[in-house]
Amino acid sequence: MENPLENLGSKHLIKKHEFVRIIIQCLYSLGYRKSAVSLESESGIAYKSDELESLESHILDANWDACIDCLNRLNGLTNETRASALFLVLKQCLLEYLNRGDDSSALEILQKQISGLQVAKEKVHKLAFGFLSLKELGLGKVDLDVISNLRNFLLMELEKVLPPPITLPERRLEYLVEMAVWSKIDNCVYHNSVDAISLYEDHHCDGSQFPTKTTQILTNHRNEVWYVQFSNNGNYLASSSSDCTAIIWKVLDDGNLTQRHVLQSHKKPVSFVAWSPDDTMLLTCGNMEVLKLWDVETDPEKGIYMWDCEGKEIKSWRGQRMPKVLDLAVTPDGEKLISIFSDKDIRILNVGTGAERVIPEEHPITSLSLSGDGKFFIVNLNSQEIHMWDVAGEWFSPMKYKSHRQHKYVIRSCFGGLDSTFIASGSEDSKVYIWNRRGSKPIEILCGHTMTVNCVSWNPKRPHMLASASDDQTIRIWGPNVQSRQ
């Protein structure tokens, strides 16, 4: 028989008997029972521990006293774990006593054993009410096949409650391999693909699926392009310009964009656009003018709603007039409103409770952007830094990203790529900067524009597509550099 204490791996960190036992568990879970039994026999290592084997024998034989005694003798259990395991066993015991009409024994179990466990009292009350109600209605009787199934279910529940090495966490090998794969992905600064990762070799992306090449230049605007934003479904791109228009572009199946509508009724430069959650409406903001709401699919001259920027106050915070809001975003769940006001302060408002948290920055903030999952947000500062904060408020300081140029203009950044892994930003040096959000230095600097890049937007459904808007009157669409694959 092989030495069970022999360690494996180049660093001898893996206990061989644990490794083999986990493989046996995996074989069972995959349905390869004969192979699992054969490996148990050949290695002399059993999937189930002696303690679990004893518990299984007692439960299948309905030897509840022996089962309870076994649980009480197990070493290494916390009081909470032991109580949870005993509760599961006693619940099954109570059911079986009631099922065979032994009400007095069932009542004794409930009053003397279950009630004395260190478990939540509401669980005990709910258990008692449930079983006694079934008894009164005459619905408590179940056949032997059901009882047998419930005993097997009890064993599965105990395996979830009892700690290693008595039991193994469910699908342990799959979990370990997945964590190893995720670690490789986490260390791959260019990972931007939903494809499954091969286990045959170490994972490394070469950047071929990253948007580093200009695939299209949109020249329909007649002046500086200030803002771009992809729709939530990734099928449209909206742009706004100092030429007093906004344009809705359609993203075609081949990845090219074509003009869909030109929104022309603004009298002043259009500084901002925003999509409705269902992408049927587009909000445009005229510079010091009005807000307009457009129906994306119909004639763009119809269905317009307007609000004067100097209109009546509709909400007050803490009895004072609302300060000038420079930018804002709402988390996808609708719970948090994040706003930038007074140049340097970030306010996070819980819409439901009214609770507020204010994060002060040392330098003026020009823009705000939220990650796709609503857990993080970034702000651009005129100190030529981008700061990332967590919405939940667990961080005491932000992640910081540097190298782009921003001093006197409003520059907007965004999250993007698979799982919002990347941050992209415009820059006053006419370039687009991209960071993996785990690192402070850019991994790509995209050249092509000839003047300040004001805004960038990453397609939320196409992680390989990025758009940038510039004072050079163009919008550039960036996609993978196919040649780098060769």
Side-chain angles (χ1 to χ4, degrees):
M1 183 181 295
E2 296 174 335
N3 180 6
L5 300 179
E6 180 182 349
N7 286 1
L8 305 176
S10 61
K11 301 184 183 301
H12 305 288
L13 299 175
I14 303 171
K15 296 178 181 179
K16 184 176 181 180
H17 69 284
E18 292 185 356
F19 186 70
V20 174
R21 188 181 174 197
I22 287 172
I23 292 176
I24 295 169
Q25 181 203 41
C26 182
L27 291 172
Y28 274 121
S29 69
L30 292 174
Y32 302 135
R33 181 176 178 80
K34 291 181 180 179
S35 298
V37 171
S38 177
L39 182 53
E40 283 183 304
S41 175
E42 185 176 358
S43 65
I45 299 171
Y47 161 49
K48 293 182 179 179
S49 65
D50 292 341
E51 297 91 341
L52 189 60
E53 289 277 10
S54 296
L55 282 171
E56 183 175 25
S57 175
H58 298 324
I59 289 171
L60 296 180
D61 292 339
N63 189 347
W64 304 115
D65 289 339
C67 184
I68 292 169
D69 182 61
C70 183
L71 285 173
N72 283 324
R73 286 188 287 104
L74 286 179
N75 295 321
L77 299 187
T78 65
N79 291 336
E80 182 180 2
T81 299
R82 197 184 309 276
S84 296
L86 287 169
F87 181 80
L88 291 172
V89 170
L90 291 171
K91 182 170 70 171
Q92 179 70 23
C93 180
L94 174 63
L95 169 66
E96 296 198 21
Y97 279 145
L98 288 173
N99 192 59
R100 64 171 181 250
D102 191 351
D103 294 358
S104 60
S105 295
L107 186 60
E108 184 177 359
I109 289 288
L110 183 61
Q111 291 179 332
K112 294 185 178 180
Q113 297 193 60
I114 294 180
S115 297
L117 294 177
Q118 295 182 10
V119 296
K121 293 302 180 184
E122 56 267 22
K123 289 180 65 176
V124 177
H125 294 158
K126 184 178 180 180
L127 175 67
F129 178 78
F131 279 126
L132 294 179
S133 296
L134 289 175
K135 188 71 175 176
E136 289 177 4
L137 295 172
L139 302 176
K141 192 73 174 178
V142 294
D143 60 35
L144 293 179
D145 288 339
V146 174
I147 290 293
S148 177
N149 290 336
L150 288 173
R151 290 175 184 173
N152 286 315
F153 181 74
L154 169 60
L155 284 168
M156 290 190 292
E157 291 297 295
L158 284 174
E159 286 194 62
K160 296 177 183 178
V161 170
L162 297 174
I166 301 170
T167 63
L168 294 181
E170 189 176 8
R171 298 183 178 273
R172 182 61 178 171
L173 184 58
E174 291 178 40
Y175 171 80
L176 292 174
V177 173
E178 189 173 55
M179 289 300 100
V181 170
W182 182 250
S183 176
K184 293 294 184 182
I185 291 175
D186 203 40
N187 289 321
C188 178
V189 296
Y190 285 105
H191 186 76
N192 196 31
S193 172
V194 296
D195 296 338
I197 304 301
S198 173
L199 300 180
Y200 295 146
E201 57 187 1
D202 288 344
H203 173 71
H204 175 71
C205 291
D206 60 4
S208 63
Q209 294 299 306
F210 211 68
T212 57
K213 179 182 179 181
T214 298
T215 59
Q216 190 176 5
I217 302 176
L218 308 178
T219 59
N220 299 33
H221 281 294
R222 294 292 177 262
N223 210 324
E224 299 170 351
V225 188
W226 288 353
Y227 199 87
V228 283
Q229 183 68 54
F230 280 106
S231 60
N232 300 289
N233 60 18
N235 294 332
Y236 297 96
L237 176 73
S239 60
S240 66
S241 169
S242 61
D243 66 5
C244 304
T245 71
I247 298 178
I248 296 176
W249 311 84
K250 173 66 176 175
V251 181
L252 304 177
D253 291 340
D254 62 3
N256 287 319
L257 279 73
T258 183
Q259 180 177 297
R260 181 67 175 268
H261 295 304
V262 180
L263 314 180
Q264 303 185 74
S265 64
H266 279 285
K267 304 302 181 185
K268 293 184 179 181
V270 184
S271 57
F272 184 83
V273 299
W275 293 93
S276 63
D278 62 2
D279 295 323
T280 62
M281 298 287 180
L282 181 72
L283 192 70
T284 62
C285 179
N287 196 26
M288 300 300 292
E289 185 191 17
V290 296
L291 293 176
K292 299 193 177 188
L293 187 65
W294 307 80
D295 189 306
V296 172
E297 292 296 333
T298 60
D299 186 331
E301 290 298 329
K302 296 181 180 179
I304 300 175
Y305 298 83
M306 298 186 180
W307 298 266
D308 193 315
C309 288
E310 301 299 323
K312 295 180 180 179
E313 181 179 303
I314 60 174
K315 182 177 177 61
S316 62
W317 287 344
R318 295 183 178 174
Q320 299 177 356
R321 287 191 58 83
M322 187 182 300
K324 180 181 179 182
V325 176
L326 302 178
D327 207 345
L328 59 83
V330 179
T331 55
D333 58 13
E335 290 187 1
K336 303 287 179 61
L337 172 65
I338 307 169
S339 59
I340 308 300
F341 67 100
S342 302
D343 290 339
K344 299 179 183 180
D345 290 334
I346 306 164
R347 174 178 292 185
I348 303 177
L349 171 70
N350 186 308
V351 177
T353 66
E356 293 179 357
R357 177 166 60 94
V358 176
I359 302 173
E361 285 280 9
E362 294 182 1
H363 299 277
I365 304 167
T366 63
S367 64
L368 161 73
S369 183
L370 192 65
S371 64
D373 57 13
K375 294 182 179 180
F376 306 95
F377 65 90
I378 48 179
V379 290
N380 278 56
L381 310 175
N382 69 1
S383 62
Q384 306 190 99
E385 287 188 353
I386 297 171
H387 290 183
M388 180 172 75
W389 294 90
D390 70 314
V391 175
E394 297 175 357
W395 296 2
F396 293 104
S397 60
M399 293 281 292
K400 298 180 180 181
Y401 308 92
K402 303 178 180 180
S403 291
H404 70 297
R405 298 291 178 262
Q406 178 178 0
H407 180 67
K408 56 183 179 178
Y409 298 125
V410 173
I411 302 294
R412 298 184 182 274
S413 58
C414 71
F415 288 91
L418 188 67
D419 298 325
S420 296
T421 301
F422 305 101
I423 292 171
S425 178
S427 178
E428 292 178 8
D429 62 3
S430 75
K431 299 172 183 177
V432 175
Y433 288 75
I434 302 177
W435 298 261
N436 184 302
R437 73 185 198 192
R438 295 187 300 273
S440 62
K441 295 182 179 180
I443 59 173
E444 289 290 346
I445 301 174
L446 311 184
C447 300
H449 286 293
T450 59
M451 298 181 71
T452 295
V453 180
N454 299 304
C455 183
V456 291
S457 179
W458 213 304
N459 192 310
K461 300 301 181 182
R462 300 189 184 208
H464 311 138
M465 179 180 286
L466 177 71
S468 58
S470 172
D471 282 352
D472 65 12
Q473 305 183 24
T474 70
I475 300 166
R476 283 183 176 252
I477 306 301
W478 305 85
N481 188 353
V482 179
Q483 292 181 349
S484 67
R485 301 179 188 177
Q486 300 175 352

